[in-house]
Amino acid sequence: GIKFPSDKIREGWIQDITHFCNTFDFPEGKNFETEQLFIYKTDDGHYIQGYIDLIDNVSANVIDIYDHKSSSMYSSKDMDEHARQLIVYMLGKQQEGFKVGKIAWHFMKYVTVTYPDAKGKQKEKIVERKKIAEDIEKYVECALLRAGYDAFDSDLFLVDLKRTNDFACLPDGVREQFSYRPCIIEYQITDEVIEDCKKYIHNTIALWESLKDKDVSAYPPRKFYKTQKNGKTVPDLFRS
C-alpha cells in the first residue's frame, strides 16, 4: 500500500481522492483513449517505452495528452523538471506521425472552482477537493446575502455546505453561481524545453551505461524539495 508521512496527510489524501471518485464524470465525447503505449526512439538510438494515461483524439492526426496525478500540485519552480515525462510522451507520439496540440496534467486532488466574488463578478481558483467549502465559504455567504437571505438562514446554508462540502445544498438562484471542474494544468511547449528534455535523457542514459554491473553508488536516488507558503524549503513527499 501507499506509505504516508503522517496519519493527517493520509486522511487528507483519502478525503481528496474519495471526493474525486464520488464526483467523477467521464470526459465528453468518444475520442478518448486510455493507457496508450508509446515508444520513443532517442537521437542516439535508444528506446523509451511507456503508457500514456489519457489521449484526446481532437481531430485526424491531432491529439492532446494528459497525465493523471494524485500527488500535490507542482510549484512553478519544479514544473519544468516534472514536465519531461509529458514531453517524452509527446515526442513518442510525434514519431508515430501525430501532431500534439497540448500536453497537460490532471491533478486529481484539486478542482478549479468558478464562483462570484464579493461584487458578483465571476472568478476562478484552484482548490483542494477536501477544502472546497472552507475556501469558498465567504463567497457563498456574500451570494446568499445578495440574494436576500438573512444572517440566520445564511448560517444554516453555510453549516450544510461545510458538512457536505457540496454546492448542491445551496438554494436555487445561489447554487447556480458556483461550480467546479477537474483541475487541468497545461504545460507550454517550447523548443527550449524540448531540447532540455532530450539533453536530460541523453545524459541519464550515458550515466547508466557508464556504471559497472550492479554498481548504483554513482547514481543515488534523487531528492526532491518544495517551497512552502512561508518560504521555507522542505523535502517534497508528494503527498501533502
Side-chain angles (χ1 to χ4, degrees):
I2 300 174
K3 293 183 179 180
F4 294 88
S6 70
D7 289 342
K8 181 179 179 181
I9 292 175
R10 176 180 180 275
E11 290 304 316
W13 186 87
I14 290 174
Q15 289 176 39
D16 287 329
I17 300 304
T18 298
H19 185 276
F20 167 80
C21 294
N22 289 340
T23 61
F24 176 76
D25 286 325
F26 285 98
E28 296 181 1
K30 299 180 180 180
N31 298 320
F32 291 93
E33 298 176 283
T34 61
E35 295 300 318
Q36 291 299 299
L37 172 70
F38 81 93
I39 300 175
Y40 168 58
K41 183 179 180 181
T42 68
D43 293 340
D44 47 6
H46 293 88
Y47 291 86
I48 299 175
Q49 174 181 314
Y51 292 86
I52 301 171
D53 285 342
L54 181 65
I55 290 178
D56 182 3
N57 293 282
V58 179
S59 60
N61 292 323
V62 179
I63 62 173
D64 291 339
I65 293 174
Y66 299 90
D67 189 44
H68 301 310
K69 293 298 181 187
S70 62
S71 63
S72 295
M73 195 172 300
Y74 305 138
S75 68
S76 57
K77 183 179 67 174
D78 298 329
M79 199 165 285
D80 288 342
E81 186 169 346
H82 289 289
R84 290 172 183 148
Q85 179 183 8
L86 286 170
I87 293 170
V88 172
Y89 292 168
M90 178 189 72
L91 294 173
K93 298 308 287 185
Q94 286 176 336
Q95 287 183 346
E96 295 179 29
F98 289 98
K99 179 180 179 180
V100 178
K102 69 179 179 183
I103 54 177
W105 296 285
H106 171 206
F107 285 99
M108 300 162 62
K109 285 177 53 178
Y110 304 85
V111 289
T112 299
V113 179
T114 301
Y115 65 97
D117 65 11
K119 296 181 179 180
K121 185 177 181 180
Q122 289 296 106
K123 301 282 188 178
E124 289 187 349
K125 68 183 300 187
I126 294 173
V127 175
E128 192 172 350
R129 288 176 177 272
K130 67 182 180 182
K131 296 180 178 179
I132 293 174
E134 177 183 333
D135 284 7
I136 304 298
E137 178 184 3
K138 63 181 179 180
Y139 303 109
V140 173
E141 183 176 13
C142 289
L144 288 167
L145 295 175
R146 283 197 303 270
Y149 292 91
D150 60 27
F152 178 78
D153 287 338
S154 294
D155 284 346
L156 292 178
F157 285 120
L158 293 175
V159 168
D160 274 348
L161 177 64
K162 286 184 280 190
R163 178 178 58 82
T164 63
N165 200 38
D166 192 339
F167 297 134
C169 68
L170 300 178
D172 293 343
V174 174
R175 179 177 60 252
E176 293 80 4
Q177 300 178 49
F178 297 85
S179 63
Y180 56 78
R181 64 180 186 275
C183 177
I184 305 295
I185 303 297
E186 182 177 353
Y187 184 76
Q188 297 302 315
I189 307 167
T190 65
D191 291 340
E192 183 180 2
V193 298
I194 293 173
E195 288 306 311
D196 172 78
C197 180
K198 290 182 176 180
K199 182 178 179 180
Y200 175 82
I201 292 171
H202 173 81
N203 291 341
T204 302
I205 291 175
L207 177 57
W208 286 345
E209 293 185 335
S210 70
L211 298 177
K212 296 179 179 179
D213 186 33
K214 298 182 180 180
D215 178 14
V216 297
S217 61
Y219 196 60
R222 172 69 184 275
K223 293 183 179 180
F224 291 89
Y225 298 90
K226 63 180 179 180
T227 303
Q228 297 178 325
K229 292 181 179 179
N230 61 8
K232 183 179 180 181
T233 299
V234 298
D236 193 343
L237 302 174
F238 303 101
R239 292 286 180 253
S240 58

